[in-house]
Amino acid sequence: MILLVFALASVTSAFPLSEQDEFHFKSWMVQHNKVYNMQEYHQRLQIFTENKQRIDKHNEGNHSFTMALNQFSDMTFGEFRKSFLWSEPQNCSATKGNYVSSNGPHPDSIDWRKKGNYVTDVKNQGGCGSCWTFSTTGCLESVTAIATGKLVPLAEQQLVDCAQDFNNHGCNGGLPSQAFEYIMYNKGLMREQDYPYKAVEGKCTYIPHLAAAFVKEVMNITAYNEMEMVDAVGTRNPVSFAFEVTPDFMSYHKGVYTSTKCHDTTDKVNHAVLAVGYGQENGTPYWIVKNSWGSGWGMDGYFFIERGKNMCGLAACSSFPVV
């Protein structure tokens, strides 16, 4: 099927693209198991080539992070945003914060992945704006593992299907702080294997006696207080946070992500993730962050983002559960 598309495409290309452009695109198609009809092939080739040019131009500059082709490279940012980010602003109301910082000291760096079996494997949300559920489960999985010594993958699908009464919207967004509230009042979250992820919103089928994780209290970190985040991650556990994804982040590869295009306020955040640690690279402090776009994106599914500047609003809306 792919070979047939290749042969036809070489003859009928309607764009002023080089053979090398098509070669790169076809190689990428094979790598990512992509098949298109003829019309779609030309459209995706054009988008892919524009994305590749943008990536190459960025990588020629002096930046703290590099970009690369990935599974999203045949998409415009508009398409990507529609499928993988929140479609509407989330009202991050839990901004006063009830977290009380420790007296320190904080470690200079920490990585909960290396401290024990405390962080589950990177998962993949698919074409559903359910990142908030993965941030939530990732945080609760880690907090529970630190408390009990048992690391159990938890059910994002339960949150997608069941947490609407707490101002969450399935595949159209939500917030970890509100998801933790749901788990607390619902008295539990099931295991992933008992309530498998489907990447679409369905009927709530929660079974109380199969609950595997619980929340006693929700800790909301004071809005824009990034040092409280450092204190929480450095002395307690990973922390959920939200931030604004802009077009260059779609093609992030490695290094410390920074941006001059993103906003730093609660009303612009569109993606939720999990801070599993922090460190410093060439004098730039960063967060170590677990994403939910599969292990093929970024650094095995992770990224670094600059710490200490509320980069892209990352300190606007952070939280974690107490178990």
Side-chain angles (χ1 to χ4, degrees), residues 60-307:
E60 287 165 7
N62 183 23
H63 299 284
S64 60
F65 71 100
T66 59
M67 293 163 64
L69 297 170
N70 59 32
Q71 72 265 41
F72 307 128
S73 297
D74 64 343
M75 303 175 80
T76 65
F77 183 66
E79 290 172 325
F80 173 81
R81 182 172 53 204
K82 195 173 179 182
S83 289
F84 297 96
L85 305 174
W86 299 332
S87 57
E88 53 192 59
Q90 305 303 308
N91 177 21
C92 187
S93 56
T95 53
K96 292 189 174 63
N98 58 344
Y99 179 70
V100 179
S101 283
S102 71
N103 294 322
H106 313 119
D108 291 337
S109 63
I110 190 170
D111 185 343
W112 282 99
R113 297 173 298 176
K114 296 176 179 175
K115 287 181 71 68
N117 190 27
Y118 297 140
V119 181
T120 56
D121 292 342
V122 170
K123 302 180 188 181
N124 196 333
Q125 69 186 70
C128 166
S130 57
C131 54
W132 60 280
T133 70
F134 288 84
S135 176
T136 300
T137 58
C139 195
L140 183 54
E141 287 160 354
S142 292
V143 171
T144 303
I146 292 164
T148 66
K150 294 178 182 175
L151 183 66
V152 179
L154 298 171
E156 294 81 20
Q157 193 64 42
Q158 181 183 333
L159 298 172
V160 170
D161 293 347
C162 307
Q164 283 77 355
D165 286 350
F166 290 78
N167 199 28
N168 298 305
H169 312 284
C171 285
N172 294 316
L175 288 171
S177 58
Q178 292 161 183
F180 296 138
E181 295 275 350
Y182 158 77
I183 297 164
M184 182 167 71
Y185 287 105
N186 183 64
K187 297 186 169 54
L189 186 67
M190 289 165 63
R191 296 184 302 173
E192 189 175 48
Q193 70 181 63
D194 293 329
Y195 201 145
Y197 184 66
K198 295 177 181 171
V200 290
E201 192 174 331
K203 183 183 175 187
C204 179
T205 55
Y206 172 60
I207 303 170
H209 74 265
L210 290 182
F214 306 88
V215 172
K216 287 181 183 170
E217 189 181 359
V218 184
M219 284 291 179
N220 291 300
I221 290 170
T222 307
Y224 308 118
N225 190 332
E226 206 165 343
M227 274 312 297
E228 278 190 15
M229 291 175 66
V230 170
D231 185 80
V233 174
T235 66
R236 296 187 64 149
N237 46 251
V239 165
S240 291
F241 73 87
F243 73 114
E244 186 190 12
V245 168
T246 51
D248 58 352
F249 188 77
M250 185 173 99
S251 302
Y252 169 91
H253 178 48
K254 62 181 179 180
V256 181
Y257 179 78
T258 64
S259 173
T260 55
K261 303 276 171 60
C262 60
H263 301 82
D264 60 5
T265 51
T266 58
D267 60 320
K268 298 292 185 183
V269 298
N270 58 12
H271 187 50
V273 288
L274 181 68
V276 300
Y278 57 80
Q280 192 163 307
E281 184 176 277
N282 300 325
T284 302
Y286 62 78
W287 290 104
I288 305 167
V289 189
K290 183 185 184 185
N291 203 354
S292 53
W293 296 341
S295 58
W297 179 91
M299 299 184 291
D300 299 321
Y302 283 81
F303 65 96
F304 295 162
I305 185 168
E306 188 170 2
R307 173 168 56 95

